[in-house]
Amino acid sequence: MTAWDALAAKRTGVPVFAPGHVWLAGAGPGDPGLLTLDALAGLGQADVVVHDALVDRRVLALAGPQARLEFAGKRGGKPSATQVDISQRLVALARAGHRVLRLKGGDPFVFGRGGEEAKTLAAAGVPFRVIPGVTAGLAALASAAIPATLRGVNRAVIFAAGHGTDEDFDWAPLARTGQPIVLYMVMHNLERIADALIKAGLDGATPAAVIASATTPRQRILVSTLANVAAAARGQKFEPPAIVVIGDIVNMRAELVGGDAAAAKEPK
Ligand code: SAH
């Protein structure tokens, strides 16, 4: 008996996946242990699993034997030119009577374009539900022993996406809050965004960490400062997917896992 069988046998109120419905679910950051039980129930019942590149193989391995896996998403963090196609594909699969599990990395409604998919489903009259997932920004911090909030240090956390160009966004107001900033999709723009934050008044000595492939066997963590983090990440060949966190909360990692030696070490 697997761990899931034992758990499932105890759970009441497991949602039933009806034919022609779409479940728009978060797959979490990688580790299948971070799936919600509802996402797992979806994997067990779905006829088709439409997944992104970010969805971990170990999560997909939990799909039932009846499920057909279909890749639909972005590769290499490039913006998808086919978002409309993906949304339309969900509608077509549902109309064909399938139980469609749309699995997206992290949380479907956090920087994942899940909102657009939900909008298309709603407009097409396809019944759907949204199942949250553990978003990478929070999972990466937890995995790196960095509390997202710490009494006396911060009372807000900013989640921001680092893709795009200078004209897209004004970083200065974020810097002025003095609250920690958790950046998604930032690896290609880290130098520029760090500079913008420093120009806006954030101290270059503010602690900053990069957490790549959080909760997977490839997880890597780097602790630096705002002024040096981009060069350090480049020098150590950190690659996406990665979360960058800037703020004094990063200091807590050294206290929890024991200083510089631990900063370079994998947590598991
Ligand atoms: N919906 C997702 C985010 C999708 S945007 C969520 O809620 O997590 C893609 C970005 O998510 C990546 O560029 C990276 O910044 C982040 N990301 C996703 N999985 C990650 C992981 N395992 N480790 C670190 N960052 C991750």
Side-chain angles (χ1 to χ4, degrees):
M1 180 144 103
T2 63
W4 166 235
D5 289 337
L7 275 175
K10 282 193 188 173
R11 186 182 177 206
T12 56
V14 177
V16 174
F17 212 151
H21 286 226
V22 176
W23 289 9
L24 187 50
D31 184 345
L34 298 175
L35 282 171
T36 63
L37 291 181
D38 278 2
L40 200 51
L43 278 160
Q45 299 174 75
D47 301 313
V48 188
V49 178
V50 182
H51 66 93
D52 280 353
L54 271 177
V55 176
D56 198 279
R57 279 160 190 270
R58 296 167 298 167
V59 168
L60 295 174
L62 298 173
Q66 77 291 342
R68 181 163 58 76
L69 302 184
E70 209 176 284
F71 172 77
K74 300 136 230 202
R75 293 239 189 239
K78 293 197 190 97
S80 172
T82 60
Q83 185 58 52
V84 172
D85 298 347
I86 297 170
S87 301
Q88 290 301 340
R89 177 77 185 141
L90 300 177
V91 171
L93 286 166
R95 286 194 175 145
H98 298 298
R99 299 171 182 85
V100 186
L101 180 67
R102 173 62 171 136
L103 257 193
K104 300 173 80 76
D107 182 283
F109 276 1
V110 180
F111 302 132
R113 307 195 70 173
E116 290 158 69
E117 293 175 15
K119 226 167 115 177
T120 305
L121 293 168
V126 171
F128 70 95
R129 56 178 291 172
V130 182
I131 300 171
V134 179
T135 191
L138 290 175
L141 263 56
S143 196
I146 299 169
T149 69
L150 208 51
R151 187 171 275 243
V153 175
N154 64 310
R155 56 161 70 197
V157 187
I158 297 165
F159 290 121
H163 59 47
T165 57
D166 274 336
E167 299 81 57
D168 283 350
F169 195 70
D170 180 8
W171 293 93
L174 266 52
R176 282 198 294 273
T177 65
Q179 301 295 309
I181 302 172
V182 175
L183 296 165
Y184 292 64
M185 295 179 274
V186 71
M187 293 308 271
H188 301 301
N189 292 323
L190 188 52
E191 203 108 59
R192 186 172 59 70
I193 290 170
D195 282 351
L197 292 170
I198 291 171
K199 276 204 192 84
L202 213 55
D203 191 341
T206 306
V210 185
I211 306 134
S213 297
T215 82
T216 79
R218 299 173 306 286
Q219 173 169 300
R220 296 176 71 198
I221 299 170
L222 176 163
V223 177
S224 180
T225 60
L226 178 58
N228 296 328
V229 70
R234 203 175 45 241
Q236 296 182 35
K237 298 193 167 22
F238 268 62
E239 301 209 338
I243 289 292
V244 174
V245 49
I246 300 156
D248 288 339
I249 51 171
V250 172
N251 285 334
M252 191 67 176
R253 171 171 168 78
E255 270 183 59
L256 294 179
V257 298
D260 289 344
K265 226 171 57 187
E266 313 290 299
K268 61 176 177 179

